[in-house]
Amino acid sequence: MTSLDYAQMFRIDGRHAVVVGCGGIGAEIAAGLAAQGARVSCLDKDPATAAAVRDRLAAGEDPGHAAHAVDVLDEAALADLVGGLGDVDVLVLTAAINVRKKLLDYSAEEFDRVVGLNLRGTFNAVRAFAPDMQRRGTGSIVALTSIRALVVEPGQGVYAATKAGVAQLVKTLAAELGPSGVRINAVAPGVVETPLTAQIRADEAWNRAYAEKSVLGRWARPEEMVGAVCWLASDAASFVTGSQVMVDGGWTAVDGRFTPPFG
């Protein structure tokens, strides 16, 4: 491998990036990858969501960005789509769901739904895209996990289990894909202001408790997840694989919410 061009090592000009799950954080990630020079294919189960992000990226021009509706749990449809996308250099996986309930209150259907999308969906997407990356000897995959891959709270058990599972899949895939030149990493967000967390932020005490748990004393904005993903997608992270990058405002770095007195 040639020496890195420090002036360009964060750029991904001319590369084809696929973002699976284009709502909320996924939309900002797609915009960030495009801003760094990538041609972005926006994939989402909801065609309107994918199209809206594609249109935002195009901004009146057509640099090749695309939108496709696909359900990552439909393996046949996913395989058909992948076959028509051409070479993919960057794959970002954001699609996930959460049902907030105590474990003993979960139904079997709810358990299967959360595990299905979060864990099986990640598995399906990597199985669909990684073989061509292996064949070409290059590629970067980034899966979004969560602080819940490391720490839990009541009502988050199944979601936490899936995110921990994705983190372990990332490590195993790093070992298995690395010899072919393909890297895979995870980005673990903390609490982020998205439509999915609107219920929490509407509760003043809950909203404040989450903000204060971060050492930065606030929630994250969706765009604050973008830098880590773009870095992992770029040559600046060429020797980074099997890692989970915490983008959590220090949530998992500190023990509890109490600052003891000094002096």
Side-chain angles (χ1 to χ4, degrees):
M1 184 174 181
T2 58
S3 297
L4 288 174
D5 179 349
Y6 296 147
Q8 296 293 320
M9 67 182 186
F10 291 97
R11 297 288 303 178
I12 48 176
D13 297 279
R15 300 182 195 181
H16 182 196
V18 170
V19 178
V20 179
C22 290
I25 295 172
E28 300 307 319
I29 289 172
L33 292 167
Q36 293 303 314
R39 173 173 62 90
V40 181
S41 290
C42 307
L43 276 56
D44 200 280
K45 186 176 180 179
D46 177 22
T49 297
V53 176
R54 184 269 322 278
D55 292 345
R56 171 186 173 185
L57 303 186
E61 300 177 0
D62 185 11
H65 303 307
H68 302 278
V70 69
D71 182 351
V72 290
L73 297 181
D74 186 338
E75 294 182 68
L78 186 59
D80 287 343
L81 176 61
V82 170
L85 285 177
D87 291 346
V88 174
D89 305 292
V90 177
L91 174 66
V92 182
L93 307 171
T94 80
I97 191 173
N98 187 12
V99 175
R100 288 179 173 274
K101 279 188 177 181
K102 292 183 178 180
L103 286 173
L104 297 186
D105 294 332
Y106 247 81
S107 69
E109 184 277 330
E110 288 167 336
F111 182 92
D112 289 344
R113 181 151 45 98
V114 175
V115 173
L117 180 58
N118 298 6
L119 199 54
R120 180 62 181 269
T122 299
F123 174 71
N124 284 354
V126 173
R127 282 210 306 172
F129 283 96
D132 187 62
M133 290 181 172
Q134 280 188 302
R135 179 185 60 78
R136 294 187 295 115
T138 185
S140 175
I141 302 171
V142 182
L144 263 65
T145 53
S146 168
I147 55 173
R148 298 302 170 212
L150 297 179
V151 293
V152 301
E153 68 179 16
Q156 294 268 50
V158 178
Y159 179 81
T162 64
K163 291 302 185 176
V166 171
Q168 292 301 94
L169 284 180
V170 164
K171 291 179 181 180
T172 304
L173 286 163
E176 295 176 355
L177 300 177
S180 300
V182 179
R183 297 183 295 109
I184 180 166
N185 294 283
V187 167
V191 292
V192 185
E193 295 176 348
T194 70
L196 292 178
T197 58
Q199 174 192 4
I200 299 171
R201 288 181 284 116
D203 184 303
E204 182 180 352
W206 201 355
N207 177 53
R208 185 173 61 254
Y210 270 24
E212 291 174 353
K213 180 62 175 71
S214 161
V215 300
L216 297 181
R218 63 176 177 83
W219 287 61
R221 301 183 303 275
E223 59 267 28
E224 292 180 297
M225 304 301 114
V226 174
V229 174
C230 288
W231 166 61
L232 290 170
S234 74
D235 290 343
S238 59
F239 203 62
V240 181
T241 194
S243 294
Q244 181 168 234
V245 180
M246 308 306 298
V247 189
D248 65 354
W251 183 298
T252 55
V254 297
D255 179 16
R257 298 187 176 93
F258 176 68
T259 299
F262 296 96

